[in-house]
Amino acid sequence: MRGLRSLMIGLKSDEEIEILRENNLLVSRTLAEVARHIRPGVTTRELDRIAEEFILNNEAVPGFKGYGGFPATLCTSVNDQVVHGIPSDYQLQEGDIISVDCGVIKNGFYGDSAFTFAVGTVDEGKATLMRVTRESLAKGVEQAVSGNRVGDIGYAVQHHAESHGFSVVRELVGHGLGRKLHEPPEVPNFGKRGRGPKLREGMVICIEPMINMGVKEVYQDRDGWTIHTADRKPSAHFEYAVAIRKNKADVLTTFDYIEEVLKQKKEKNG
Ligand code: MG
Ligand code: MG
């Protein structure tokens, strides 16, 4: 089975990887545009409108809207919402954290990346959760090189998150990315070193730790989409698309545009 499964993992040409890079950079810029508008009082629906307009203005199509029936351009998941939150009339409040997940389609390929933002000033617990989740992503990316296995990524993410007392969501995982939003292999944020499909040059995967402050268990909202933590404690989510290369992962997403916006906002607010 393992052999069969790895045969199904499509390898991308350099040209295809450059299209995927362009798409994920567009997602990166869209998230930065969203970042510019995140403040207490803004609704998640307004953020969604801004993202959709930005994507359409860049000759691309929102990747999530209509995917499996999802109704919006962004997944906006606030506080105890883990992922797949539907933009609504909810007004962000000082101290919230919001995970914004965004997809695009352009030139026949997807882009898919996510970032968790603080709304104003957040408490130390949430700040630590966001920092550790982002560090967990970086630990996973370090393992995303040819010859390693998918389990090496999961182990690295899980080990870092749990060493800080946080827990890893099991029900939702990362994935291959290409002409489809979700391609093989599945990329869990937990696992054992040396297990799972082998990573090969030309594979493109999304690594996307979903890390909970409390218990790992989650449940799905009656809206059929939103995933919440079972104990209603906060959850954070960061996602990179990554191309597998020989010695170092080739990260197709950048958070640099977001960082620049966050820096500008900080300077403006003193
Ligand atoms: Mg995503
Ligand atoms: Mg994804």
Side-chain angles (χ1 to χ4, degrees):
M1 269 318 283
R2 182 178 293 164
L4 272 178
R5 180 150 20 120
S6 58
L7 274 178
M8 288 162 53
I9 301 174
L11 302 180
K12 274 78 181 178
S13 68
D14 286 346
E15 290 78 12
E16 290 172 329
I17 288 173
E18 291 318 307
I19 295 172
L20 283 159
R21 188 191 312 281
E22 192 186 319
N23 292 0
N24 282 287
L25 291 178
L26 174 56
V27 173
S28 303
R29 289 193 290 125
T30 308
L31 290 173
E33 191 60 27
V34 170
R36 213 180 292 285
H37 294 86
I38 287 180
R39 55 173 168 73
V42 74
T43 66
T44 50
R45 199 190 303 283
E46 175 68 3
L47 299 177
D48 191 68
R49 190 193 61 76
I50 289 161
E52 178 165 8
E53 193 176 293
F54 189 83
I55 291 166
L56 294 173
N57 284 341
N58 282 276
E59 287 77 49
V61 173
F64 297 166
K65 201 169 188 177
Y67 184 86
F70 189 77
T73 294
L74 299 178
C75 296
T76 53
S77 308
V78 179
N79 296 331
D80 70 296
Q81 300 177 346
V82 179
V83 287
H84 302 169
I86 301 172
S88 70
D89 293 328
Y90 176 77
Q91 293 184 323
L92 293 179
Q93 295 178 30
E94 177 87 21
D96 282 347
I97 60 173
I98 176 173
S99 156
V100 180
D101 197 344
C102 179
V104 300
I105 311 170
K106 191 173 181 178
N107 296 319
F109 286 83
Y110 276 88
D112 181 18
S113 308
F115 194 93
T116 300
F117 298 94
V119 182
T121 306
V122 300
D123 65 35
E124 205 184 316
K126 282 176 172 170
T128 305
L129 176 67
M130 288 195 297
R131 175 177 61 77
V132 170
T133 304
R134 197 166 159 179
E135 289 169 356
S136 298
L137 170 58
K139 297 285 181 187
V141 167
E142 280 176 18
Q143 298 299 318
V145 292
S146 66
N148 274 2
R149 289 181 181 271
V150 166
D152 294 312
I153 297 173
Y155 174 85
V157 170
Q158 179 180 13
H159 180 75
H160 189 72
E162 291 183 351
S163 71
H164 287 81
F166 299 136
S167 65
V168 175
V169 173
R170 301 300 202 272
E171 288 83 351
L172 299 130
V173 296
H175 50 90
L177 184 74
R179 290 187 182 276
K180 292 185 183 155
L181 179 57
H182 297 127
E183 298 184 353
E186 291 194 340
V187 183
N189 298 298
F190 55 94
K192 293 198 169 79
R193 282 188 277 201
R195 301 282 182 86
K198 194 175 255 187
L199 300 172
R200 298 172 63 197
E201 273 186 89
M203 284 171 59
V204 174
I205 57 171
C206 287
I207 305 175
E208 50 176 316
M210 289 151 262
I211 306 297
N212 296 351
M213 187 180 285
V215 299
K216 66 179 185 300
E217 284 76 20
V218 297
Y219 71 93
Q220 191 176 51
D221 197 280
R222 281 188 303 180
D223 68 14
W225 284 104
T226 315
I227 304 296
H228 297 263
T229 57
D231 60 7
R232 290 296 179 109
K233 288 186 180 170
S235 183
H237 176 217
F238 290 84
E239 176 177 21
Y240 270 161
V242 172
I244 304 299
R245 307 284 198 192
K246 255 199 182 71
N247 298 310
K248 192 173 181 297
D250 183 2
V251 179
L252 306 180
T253 307
T254 178
F255 292 152
D256 289 356
Y257 306 128
I258 294 172
E259 293 299 348
E260 184 58 33
V261 169
L262 297 182
K263 205 177 104 194
Q264 289 166 8
K265 283 171 82 174
K266 206 170 174 182
E267 284 166 3
K268 207 170 116 192
N269 298 328

